[in-house]
Structure formats: C-alpha cells, structure tokens
Amino acid sequence: GDSVTQMEGPVTLSEEACLTINCTYTATGYPSLFWYVQYPGEGLQLLLKATKADDKGSNKGFEATYRKETTSFHLEKGSVQVSDSAVYFCALSEYDMRFGAGTRLTVKP
Amino acid sequence: DTAVSQTPKYLVTQMGNDKSIKCEQNLGHDTMYWYKQDSKKFLKIMFSYNNKELIINETVPNRFSPKSPDKAHLNLHINSLELGDSAVYFCASSQRDSPYNEQFFGPGTRLTVL
C-alpha cells in the first residue's frame, strides 16, 4: 500500500541556518504530495503541495519538488526563523491521505 | 470564519466514562475524518465518512463510534474510556473529487483519561 517515510527528528537549528527534511514515498499510481505544519497546540495546516512530477510547491520560504525518479518530496528552506519551530508532516494522497511520522524542528535564536 | 471546528478543546475524564467530541465543517466538503495523535505526534486515521457513509474504519476498538448526522458534522463517541485513549483527536475534511484531495484540519481535542 501507499506509504510515506520522513526523516526522524528532532532537528535543532540556529536561526538563519538551512533546512532540509527528507521525505520519500511509495505509491502504486501518481499521488499528490503535501507538507503540513503543526505549530504547538494547534492542528495541522497545509504548508505546500504538488500534484505531478517536477512540480515545485512553495510557501513562506519553504519549497519542495516532486521527484518521481527518486520518489521524493524533500522540504527545504534557505534561512529558518524561530517562528518556524513546529512539527512537519509529509503526506501523499492517491485514494486516501497517508502521513509520515512527523519531524519536530526547533530553531534557536 | 472557522473552517473545521471541534468541541471541546480539552476533555479530562475518569476511566470508564463515556464521552463525545463534536466536529463541524463549513467548507461544503463531502468527506470527513477522525485522526488520533499520540504523544510522539504520530497521526493515525481512525474513520472516514463520505456523504454520511463510512468508507474507512481502521482497526480501532468498537468502543469508538463515529456518527454523521449530515455532511457537515462528524461526531466521535467513546464508551468505557481507558487510559490508553489519552491523546489529541483531530477532525478533518476534504472534497474527495478535488484535484488535490487535500485535507483541512480542526484545532484538535486533547483527551486526558485519569
């Protein structure tokens, strides 16, 4: 069945550092791919999405590119801020939504 | 305007009690979900309803019973609460035939069973 594997956390970075959170997927067809973010005490919010190979999703300085050849959708940001501290979930949707285990990011001033 | 709302936000109760969590969405979506998030933030789908019909029922104890009075509401009733039921429960909704099928989440209900 469909599944998502993302890098284990926690990830701790200093402000203005570069971020990469790896995400790979397994699917039988052509899923849509998502990154969701969960800030402390809140529900999940959609951060960005991509529906087909080579699509790049972007929002709030975050980017991820749908790579069919490597079945990956890595999340990147060039310069993180303290306000980016949250848990990030990679997800795919083909017939149903499948979430990764989540990666906790802490950004220190 | 809140898109997906849940009540209550916090629920503290004793083992053995019965409790309900309510969810409402005003997005006009045809599919609603319940998820359980454990203390390690792992998100597990419990139920999915499409147009008031159950389409996913993952392996959850039958003490958990979802009820969908209409497309905009999906309530979760839990009988005989156990310590292991302590978690954050999220409701979500989506439009199943949309290009992305992305889900919109409620703020969560933190259930603590003592």
Side-chain angles (χ1 to χ4, degrees), chain A residues 14-64:
Chain A
S14 297
E15 209 164 21
E16 299 184 3
C18 293
L19 169 71
T20 300
I21 301 178
N22 290 335
C23 171
T24 57
Y25 68 90
T26 303
T28 53
Y30 303 94
S32 296
L33 301 175
F34 306 86
W35 277 100
Y36 280 83
V37 58
Q38 184 180 24
Y39 298 105
E42 298 184 12
L44 278 71
Q45 304 173 24
L46 181 66
L47 180 60
L48 53 83
K49 61 192 176 191
T51 56
K52 60 184 187 298
D54 300 325
D55 265 3
K56 179 186 281 189
S58 61
N59 186 23
K60 299 181 181 180
F62 290 89
E63 292 183 340

Side-chain angles (χ1 to χ4, degrees), chain B residues 14-99:
Chain B
Q14 300 287 332
M15 251 187 346
N17 285 350
D18 303 339
K19 290 293 177 187
S20 292
I21 307 172
K22 295 187 176 183
C23 178
E24 177 181 0
Q25 55 96 2
N26 63 7
L27 297 167
H29 288 164
D30 62 1
T31 306
M32 296 184 71
Y33 311 82
W34 277 108
Y35 288 87
K36 179 181 180 181
Q37 187 176 48
D38 63 23
S39 57
K40 295 185 178 179
K41 300 297 186 183
F42 185 75
L43 205 59
K44 178 184 174 183
I45 188 162
M46 302 174 70
F47 301 102
S48 171
Y49 265 74
N50 177 256
N51 283 319
K52 294 173 56 181
E53 290 189 19
L54 182 65
I55 56 173
I56 291 177
N57 182 3
E58 294 290 321
T59 307
V60 297
N62 57 15
R63 299 182 293 105
F64 290 79
S65 55
K67 288 198 170 34
S68 182
D70 56 55
K71 275 174 48 173
H73 296 84
L74 181 63
N75 303 324
L76 183 65
H77 190 75
I78 315 170
N79 290 328
S80 303
L81 278 155
E82 299 178 357
L83 293 177
D85 297 333
S86 296
V88 181
Y89 292 84
F90 287 101
C91 178
S93 72
S94 71
Q95 184 62 29
R96 201 158 178 83
D97 58 0
S98 69

Side-chain angles (χ1 to χ4, degrees), chain A residues 56-100:
Chain A
K56 179 186 281 189
S58 61
N59 186 23
K60 299 181 181 180
F62 290 89
E63 292 183 340
T65 301
Y66 191 145
R67 301 279 187 209
K68 195 168 186 310
E69 64 276 13
T70 54
T71 61
S72 65
F73 193 55
H74 304 322
L75 182 68
E76 298 176 326
K77 187 173 186 183
S79 175
V80 293
Q81 307 299 313
V82 172
S83 57
D84 294 327
S85 297
V87 180
Y88 292 83
F89 292 89
C90 185
L92 71 78
S93 176
E94 190 170 18
Y95 305 106
D96 296 298
M97 186 79 82
R98 300 288 170 181
F99 286 88

